[in-house]
Amino acid sequence: MRASLRALFAEAVRAVSPIVAMPLVLPSAPHGRTVVIAVGKAAAEMMRVVQARSRGAAVEGLVVTRHGHLPLTGANWPNVEVIEAGHPYPDDNSVRAARRALKLAATLEAGDRLLVLLSGGGSALLAAPVPGLSLADKQAVTRALLQSGATIEEINRVRKHLSLVKGGRLAVAAGHAAVTTWIISDIPGDDPSFVSSGPTVADTSNLETAREIIARYGIEVAPAIHTALADPANETPDPDSLGLAGAETVVIARAADSLNAAGKMAQALDYQVTSLGDRLQAEARHLGASHAALSRRLAKDGIRRAILSGGETTVTVVNKAGRGGRNLEYLLGLAIALDGAPGISAIACDTDGIDGTEDAAGAIVTSDTLTRAAALGLDPAAHLAQNNAYLFFEALGDLVVTGPTLTNVNDFRAILIDAEA
C-alpha cells in the first residue's frame, strides 16, 4: 500500500508538471518584443519549457523562484535573469525581484507582449512594500497571517494592499503592451486573482476587506501596517486600468487535474474511487479526523476504495518553535482518529514537494502507525498539540521526501481502504 500511495502522488504531480500542462504554441508579440516573466515555485521549469518551445527564437525575461527550486539541468539562458528569493517569508531578494519585474514590464510599448508564467509562492517571492513599509514589516505581517488560521484567499487579500506589484499592478506597469498570463493554480477554486496575489489580474477586494481580515483574526500588526491599510493610495487598480483591460488570463493546471490523473491510476489498481473534490479548506487536524470517520464507515462494506481530495487546509500555530506542516497535521489528526483501524492507509503531500517550511512533502499513515509510535514512546496527541507533526513522522521514518517538484497545485491526499475496519 505504501508503494501504491507513493505512485498516486507521483502521478498527481506529473499531471500538472509544466511539460504536460503548458501550451505547445507560445503567444507572440503583435509587432514588437515578447518579454517573459516567470514567478513561483514552478517558474524555472515553466521557463525551461518556454525555451524548449520557442523554436530557436531568443527569449528575454526574468525567473523568480524559491531558493533551491531550479531544474537539475540548471537555469542558464541568455537574456534571462534568474533570482532565487525567500518563501514563505519574503527576503531582500524578493524585493529586488519585484523591482526588476516592474522595471522590465515598464520597458514594454504598444505592440509588445508581456507573457507572465505564474505558480504558487509568488506572493512571498515578489515583495515591493508600499511607501512607509519596510521589508521587516512585510515579513512580520506575513508570519502573523500564516500562523493565524486565515485561508490563503484572506492572506492574499491583505498582501495585495501592501504591495506595489500585486493585485494587478505588474500588468499596469506594462502599459499599452498586450498581457498574457498562464497560471498553474494552487488556490482552492482556482480564482486567478489569488494565485501569487494576482500581479497581472484585477483584484476584487478592497482596503476595507483587508482591515476586516486583520481584525477578524486578532492579528497584531505594526502601526505602519494600519496606516498603509487606511491609505486610499494603496487601493488596488481598477479592472479597467491600462494593462488590465483586455489582459488574457488562462489557468493551465489545477488541483482537479491532479485528482483526475490519480483517480484513473487508482481505478487501474482496482480501487473504487471516491473524490471529495479539490476545494477543501479547514483546520488540518479536524479535516483529518473527519476523513478518518468517513473511511471507517466506508470500510464496512468490504469494497476496496480510494478516497481522494485536494485543496489547502489551515494550521493555527500555538507553538512557534514547532516543526510541522498542514499535510502532516492532517495525517496526525487522521491517524489518531483511525486508532489503528485495519486495512486503511493514507498519504498527504504538498505537490510542490515542501510541506510548510520543512524538507518533506508530507508523510504516510498505515494501520500500525500508532502501534509503532507507542513502541518508540511517542505521544501523538502531544505532538499534534505542539505543532510537532514533522518530528512524529520523522521518528517513524514515514516522511515523504521528494525535494522540489517544480510545480504546485497545493495539497494532494489519498486514503486507501483494503479491508473491513
Side-chain angles (χ1 to χ4, degrees):
M1 292 181 76
R2 287 176 179 269
S4 295
L5 290 166
R6 284 181 173 269
L8 290 174
F9 176 55
E11 176 62 8
V13 170
R14 185 206 64 79
V16 293
S17 62
I19 191 99
V20 171
M22 286 180 64
L24 297 177
V25 179
L26 306 179
S28 60
H31 305 293
R33 300 161 59 210
T34 293
V35 168
V36 182
I37 297 179
V39 180
K41 297 173 186 175
E45 183 66 3
M46 293 178 84
M47 179 64 83
R48 188 187 70 78
V49 174
V50 163
Q51 296 283 339
R53 295 178 181 172
S54 64
R55 299 176 183 176
V59 177
E60 173 188 0
L62 171 69
V63 167
V64 185
T65 194
R66 180 177 175 169
H67 292 288
H69 282 241
L70 296 177
L72 294 177
T73 54
N76 231 347
W77 305 295
N79 304 315
V80 175
E81 182 178 0
V82 177
I83 299 176
E84 294 179 86
H87 184 279
Y89 310 116
D91 60 10
D92 288 332
N93 277 359
S94 304
V95 176
R96 180 166 70 88
R99 290 174 178 165
R100 184 72 186 105
L102 289 167
K103 184 176 181 180
L104 191 56
T107 67
L108 296 171
E109 301 175 348
D112 295 338
R113 181 179 298 278
L114 174 63
L115 174 60
V116 178
L117 311 175
L118 279 186
S119 54
S123 295
L125 298 171
L126 288 184
V130 297
L133 292 188
S134 65
L135 174 60
D137 291 328
K138 291 292 293 288
Q139 291 169 329
V141 72
T142 300
R143 183 172 287 102
L145 284 163
L146 290 174
Q147 295 178 348
S148 70
T151 66
I152 189 60
E153 290 94 339
E154 291 171 324
I155 292 170
N156 286 355
R157 282 188 176 105
V158 175
R159 284 165 152 169
K160 291 179 185 184
H161 293 90
L162 301 174
S163 172
L164 295 176
V165 70
K166 299 176 175 65
R169 292 178 176 87
L170 181 60
V172 171
H176 291 280
V179 178
T180 299
T181 304
W182 289 345
I183 295 177
I184 295 179
S185 170
D186 66 333
I187 297 293
D190 304 312
D191 185 332
S193 71
F194 290 117
V195 180
S196 290
S197 296
T200 56
V201 183
D203 181 29
T204 58
S205 65
N206 54 37
L207 284 164
E208 183 179 359
T209 305
R211 292 193 295 267
E212 288 174 351
I213 292 166
I214 294 292
R216 183 182 312 143
Y217 290 94
I219 298 171
E220 295 184 8
V221 297
I225 297 292
H226 285 297
T227 300
L229 293 179
D231 187 347
N234 294 330
E235 195 56 89
T236 47
D238 187 275
D240 293 326
S241 300
L242 187 65
L244 284 174
E248 177 188 28
T249 303
V250 183
V251 177
I252 61 172
R254 62 200 83 210
D257 301 324
S258 280
L259 294 185
N260 290 338
K264 290 178 181 178
M265 174 175 278
Q267 288 174 337
L269 294 172
D270 201 27
Y271 286 97
Q272 181 173 308
V273 175
T274 299
S275 178
L276 303 180
D278 64 331
R279 303 186 181 189
L280 303 190
Q281 296 186 80
E283 185 75 20
R285 64 187 67 187
H286 298 158
L287 188 66
S290 173
H291 285 184
L294 173 64
S295 302
R296 298 188 71 153
R297 288 198 304 273
L298 293 178
K300 293 178 181 179
D301 63 15
I303 297 174
R304 298 179 83 231
R305 294 182 184 273
I307 304 172
L308 307 180
S309 65
E312 181 170 6
T313 58
T314 59
V315 170
T316 302
V317 177
V318 296
N319 174 22
K320 292 185 175 12
R323 297 182 64 189
R326 59 179 181 263
N327 287 289
L328 297 175
E329 291 216 354
Y330 164 87
L331 286 168
L332 192 45
L334 176 86
I336 292 170
L338 283 175
D339 195 24
I344 303 177
S345 59
I347 190 170
C349 291
D350 196 322
T351 52
D352 68 2
I354 305 295
D355 188 35
T357 59
E358 300 294 344
D359 60 357
I364 288 176
V365 162
T366 58
S367 57
D368 66 349
T369 291
L370 297 189
T371 301
R372 290 185 291 119
L376 293 175
L378 300 173
D379 183 339
H383 278 77
L384 187 56
Q386 289 299 305
N387 302 119
N388 275 323
Y390 178 92
L391 298 179
F392 179 86
F393 288 108
E394 181 184 43
L396 291 177
D398 287 341
L399 293 173
V400 175
V401 180
T402 63
T405 64
L406 307 184
T407 192
N408 182 25
V409 294
N410 235 312
D411 301 336
F412 172 80
R413 297 177 288 269
I415 302 171
L416 299 183
I417 303 174
D418 266 308
E420 184 177 343

